[in-house]
Amino acid sequence: MTGTTIDTLRFATAGSVDDGKSTLVGRLLHDSKSILADQLEAVEHASRSRGQDAPDLALLTDGLRAEREQGITIDVAYRYFATSRRRFILADTPGHVQYTRNMVTGASTAELAIILVDARNGVVEQTRRHTAVAALLQVPHVVLAVNKMDLVGYERTRFAEIVEDFAAESGLTGFTSVPVSALVGDNVVERSTHMDWYEGPALLEFLENVPVGTEAADAPARFPVQYVIRHGEVRYYAGQLVSGSLRVGDRVTVHPSGETSEITGIDVLGVAQEAALAPQSISVRLADQRDVSRGDMITAGAKAPTLTRDVTANVCHLADRPLRVGDRVLLRHTTRTVKAIVKDLAGAAELSVNDLGRISLRTAEPLALDDYAASRRTGAFILIDPADGATLTAGMAEVNSPA
């Protein structure tokens, strides 16, 4: 198998109302030359009709008419752009507390989160909530973008105060802080001449160079079976290798049965390979005829997942209907769906939409779970309403995996 370079960064943006998040995203797209001429012309025309001299770059992201009229972003908008160094998938999430579930959706697959703060206001309640969601989702990289530095005279001391407050209140130690002015363009794509005291990279420069793709590749091998393909007596197990790597000759375990076998073949896009690396979609063949079906998980290596029917997790409730103790739900984990009952909500009577909470569940069949902190793909699950198939809750499991 030839080595491949993961050159796509998925990142999410979050900020309180009027922190300038849409302008920041628009500035990233504009200054990286990632918008079409007709898009820019439409923005310039809309800006002139409002009596604005300069293009309102926020209109590049606030595409819905309702958003434009209200001046707010109300849904997750996905933007795709690229530079010579990397491709980007940007989830522009809303800032209001009532749209916490939208941020959870946008940040759930992100490898980096940009949390925006207005330099005049500093850390506010929504900043704390956005940071809590990023921490809950174990987003590997967090950037604190202190925006509107032009409105505080580009003061170094003000920037330092906000960074210190954020560090103290968030408890995060590994975040990166960048002073920016999205409106003017300082430190967004090009380094600012107004803040020569700042020695770090511009925001886009950091996004182009931050390590990506290491989490899935370095984790233990986890292969949830999505399809079983039969050719005569030969069975192929197909799906996505969500973490780690597999090689021909590896000894593997099938969960939840616990049966073991050996990999005798790996196909990637129909071509035989000696090895596969996450997140490739593959099919594998085993040496023994095992009873393997959709929802089973094939694993390799010493660090096995925890096989359990008792699930404890941090959650964000996504549905308008509340979740209560005693509710019967479906739990979907990777490709496996099982029946479950809500046993406890950490003392709460119920979880309402956008609530962050803690839950205990009992499943009808065992699940092969990893701790979410160790593996976002195999530690995550969703709860589904069995009556109509609606998604109710997003969960991040806490388990003690064996060494």
Side-chain angles (χ1 to χ4, degrees), residues 25 35 55 63 102 129 171 240 253 258 291 293 296 312 344 358:
V25 174
I35 57 173
N102 302 71
R129 192 171 185 86
Q240 184 186 39
T253 303
D291 185 16
S293 58
D296 289 349
T312 300
D344 186 61
R358 190 169 175 81

Side-chain angles (χ1 to χ4, degrees), residues 218-222 255 299-306 370 374 401-403:
D218 294 342
R222 301 289 187 260
H255 303 277
T299 70
K303 293 185 178 179
T306 297
D370 285 300
S401 297

Side-chain angles (χ1 to χ4, degrees), residues 20-32 35 57-61 90 92 182 188:
K21 179 169 54 62
S22 292
T23 303
L24 177 69
V25 174
R27 175 65 66 182
L28 270 174
L29 297 174
H30 178 272
D31 287 10
S32 63
I35 57 173
L57 297 180
L59 298 181
L60 289 170
T61 55
L90 186 162
D92 184 19
V188 179

Side-chain angles (χ1 to χ4, degrees), residues 316-329:
C316 177
H317 190 58
L318 310 176
D320 290 325
R321 55 150 286 195
L323 187 72
R324 299 185 175 94
V325 173
D327 281 356
R328 297 184 180 276
V329 296

Side-chain angles (χ1 to χ4, degrees), residues 9-13 89 91 105-113 137-141 215 376:
L9 171 67
R10 300 180 69 102
F11 71 100
T13 59
I89 302 174
T105 300
S108 61
T109 58
E111 292 188 79
L112 181 146
L137 294 172
Q138 298 285 326
V139 179
H141 305 282
E215 177 193 13
R376 297 172 78 196

Side-chain angles (χ1 to χ4, degrees), residues 54-380:
D56 183 356
L57 297 180
L59 298 181
L60 289 170
T61 55
D62 289 347
L64 299 177
R65 177 173 296 177
E67 294 179 358
R68 293 185 179 184
E69 292 175 350
Q70 298 176 41
I72 61 172
T73 305
I74 59 176
D75 204 351
V76 180
Y78 290 92
R79 310 292 169 184
Y80 306 86
F81 68 102
T83 68
S84 60
R85 298 182 65 93
R86 178 170 281 170
R87 295 190 300 267
F88 300 92
I89 302 174
L90 186 162
D92 184 19
T93 66
H96 289 61
V97 63
Q98 62 265 38
Y99 300 117
T100 299
R101 59 180 172 180
N102 302 71
M103 182 187 173
V104 169
T105 300
S108 61
T109 58
E111 292 188 79
L112 181 146
I114 299 174
I115 298 177
L116 220 66
V117 170
D118 188 323
R120 298 168 300 175
N121 302 327
V123 176
V124 297
E125 182 57 38
Q126 270 302 88
T127 311
R128 300 182 188 96
R129 192 171 185 86
H130 294 148
T131 307
V133 171
L136 183 69
L137 294 172
Q138 298 285 326
V139 179
H141 305 282
V142 173
V143 174
L144 172 66
V146 181
N147 192 26
K148 304 189 181 181
M149 287 296 296
D150 55 309
L151 300 183
V152 295
Y154 299 106
E155 292 179 1
R156 181 176 189 171
T157 53
R158 180 56 181 153
F159 174 68
E161 288 172 359
I162 294 173
V163 172
E164 185 177 347
D165 289 346
F166 183 81
E169 297 201 28
S170 69
L172 298 176
T173 56
F175 68 92
T176 298
S177 52
V178 184
V180 303
S181 170
L183 185 64
V184 180
D186 293 297
N187 283 338
V188 179
V189 171
E190 301 291 340
R191 297 196 190 191
S192 171
T193 58
H194 296 120
M195 292 177 279
D196 55 5
W197 46 264
Y198 172 70
E199 299 178 351
L203 180 60
L204 182 61
E205 184 181 350
F206 180 79
L207 296 178
E208 286 181 322
N209 290 284
V210 66
V212 298
T214 56
E215 177 193 13
D218 294 342
R222 301 289 187 260
F223 179 54
V225 176
Q226 188 168 5
Y227 300 107
V228 179
I229 304 168
R230 292 177 173 83
H231 285 290
E233 296 298 317
V234 181
R235 294 182 182 181
Y236 299 80
Y237 306 109
Q240 184 186 39
L241 180 60
V242 298
S243 65
S245 61
L246 291 174
R247 301 188 66 86
V248 173
D250 279 353
R251 294 294 301 177
V252 296
T253 303
V254 180
H255 303 277
S257 69
E259 294 184 323
T260 61
S261 188
E262 180 180 311
I263 294 179
T264 57
I266 297 175
D267 287 351
V268 180
L269 297 177
V271 178
Q273 303 282 0
E274 284 298 309
L277 183 69
Q280 288 181 307
S281 294
I282 64 175
S283 63
V284 303
R285 300 185 301 280
L286 301 180
D288 309 290
Q289 291 286 356
R290 301 299 188 191
D291 185 16
V292 182
S293 58
R294 174 183 171 88
D296 289 349
M297 185 183 295
I298 296 173
T299 70
K303 293 185 178 179
T306 297
L307 199 64
T308 184
R309 291 177 56 203
D310 294 301
V311 180
T312 300
N314 295 306
V315 298
C316 177
H317 190 58
L318 310 176
D320 290 325
R321 55 150 286 195
L323 187 72
R324 299 185 175 94
V325 173
D327 281 356
R328 297 184 180 276
V329 296
L330 296 177
L331 187 155
R332 180 171 297 163
H333 170 252
T334 63
T335 59
R336 187 172 181 81
T337 301
V338 299
K339 295 179 180 179
I341 186 170
V342 178
K343 302 293 289 184
D344 186 61
L345 294 173
E350 64 181 32
L351 291 180
S352 300
V353 62
N354 294 308
D355 278 351
L356 303 177
R358 190 169 175 81
I359 192 172
S360 295
L361 300 150
R362 176 74 169 172
T363 62
E365 302 171 46
L367 296 171
L369 282 175
D370 285 300
D371 193 284
Y372 184 83
S375 174
R376 297 172 78 196
R377 289 297 303 271
T378 52

